[in-house]
């Protein structure tokens, strides 16, 4: 089928039936209500803050879409890309995020507007290092992990890599993308067979 069918079938597989999805969303919302704190500058925060949830939802939606388009369906139509963002918007709203974009254009515009609020400090450095150094059990071991991590880094917008001090693959980016795409195709083939 077309890209929309593939993305939607992935979403159905991941989230299960609507009832299961709503139960999971309810559990996540309950957890969010218990996460509160104060930033080092004294600013209070809550994990159920609609604007904070909107940023998390936005970055997940765009990241998943970019990864899908790069490694699964490079020619995904704009109609299907917008349909994916629209489908994800329903989940974001159920989680309490606000504002939530309904098209890819709106999502990218919202991301640009939100950049001014971003900071990088010791806490974000710690999370970055944890994510990049997390041992994974993958066929191929550490080499596969490095390849996948570099592919994920290369998906980040330039400004995000610069903010976190993470270099892209540079001239090696096409090779990293090709190797990751080949790995993704092999995994999809293995699951189909």
């Amino acid at each position: 089928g077309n890209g929309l069918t593939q993305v939607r079938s992935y979403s159905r597989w991941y989230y299960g039936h609507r009832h299961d999805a709503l139960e999971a969303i309810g559990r996540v919302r309950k957890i969010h209500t218990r996460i509160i704190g104060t930033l080092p500058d004294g600013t209070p925060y809550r994990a159920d803050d609609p604007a904070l949830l909107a940023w998390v939802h936005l970055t997940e939606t765009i990241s998943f879409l970019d990864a899908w388009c790069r490694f699964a369906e490079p020619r995904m139509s704009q109609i299907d890309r917008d349909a994916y963002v629209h489908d994800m918007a329903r989940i974001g709203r159920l989680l309490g995020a606000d504002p939530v974009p309904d098209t890819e254009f709106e999502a990218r515009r919202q991301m640009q507007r939100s950049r001014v609020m971003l900071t990088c400090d010791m806490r974000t450095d710690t999370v970055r290092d944890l994510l990049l150094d997390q041992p994974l059990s993958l066929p191929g071991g550490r080499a596969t992990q490095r390849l996948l991590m570099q592919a994920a880094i290369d998906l980040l917008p330039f400004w995000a890599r610069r903010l976190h001090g993470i270099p892209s693959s540079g001239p090696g980016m096409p090779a990293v993308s090709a190797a990751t795409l080949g790995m993704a195709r092999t995994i999809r083939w293995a699951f189909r067979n």
Side-chain angles (χ1 to χ4, degrees):
N2 62 23
L4 181 60
T5 304
Q6 291 170 337
V7 173
R8 284 187 173 167
S9 66
Y10 172 77
S11 295
R12 274 197 298 269
W13 172 78
Y14 183 77
Y15 289 105
H17 295 288
R18 180 174 172 77
H19 177 266
D20 298 331
L22 291 174
E23 270 187 18
I25 287 168
R27 286 192 302 274
V28 169
R29 287 191 75 145
K30 188 180 286 189
I31 291 167
H32 283 166
T33 62
R34 296 192 301 255
I35 301 173
I36 57 173
T38 306
L39 297 175
D41 67 1
T43 305
Y45 69 86
R46 300 181 57 89
D48 61 357
D49 173 7
L52 179 59
L53 290 169
W55 175 251
V56 172
H57 169 78
L58 177 65
T59 57
E60 286 179 347
T61 299
I62 289 297
S63 297
F64 293 153
L65 178 62
D66 287 348
W68 180 264
C69 289
R70 183 171 297 174
F71 300 117
E73 191 178 354
R75 293 184 184 90
M76 186 178 191
S77 75
Q78 190 59 55
I79 291 170
D80 288 348
R81 292 164 73 103
D82 286 339
Y84 173 76
V85 173
H86 179 75
D87 285 351
M88 291 297 290
R90 289 187 285 175
I91 296 166
R93 288 186 186 102
L94 288 170
L95 283 166
D98 185 47
V100 177
D102 279 296
T103 67
E104 181 183 11
F105 176 79
E106 291 171 5
R108 295 196 188 277
R109 188 174 61 188
Q110 183 177 331
M111 187 170 278
Q112 286 299 326
R113 285 194 310 256
S114 300
R115 281 177 53 188
V116 297
M117 297 180 290
L118 302 178
T119 61
C120 191
D121 58 23
M122 194 169 65
R123 295 167 305 134
T124 55
D125 289 348
T126 299
V127 172
R128 176 203 61 210
D129 294 345
L130 249 165
L131 290 171
L132 294 178
D133 295 332
Q134 183 67 34
L136 303 173
S137 297
L138 296 168
R142 190 82 175 140
T144 301
Q145 179 175 347
R146 279 196 302 272
L147 175 68
L148 292 177
M149 288 299 178
Q150 191 59 56
I153 289 167
D154 289 344
L155 280 168
L156 290 171
F158 168 75
W159 58 265
R161 289 194 308 268
R162 187 179 63 209
L163 180 70
H164 291 286
I166 306 172
S168 74
S169 300
M173 190 182 293
V176 170
S177 290
T180 307
L181 180 59
M183 187 183 309
R185 286 181 176 153
T186 302
I187 291 169
R188 284 195 303 275
W189 172 84
F191 278 109
R192 277 195 304 269
N193 294 303

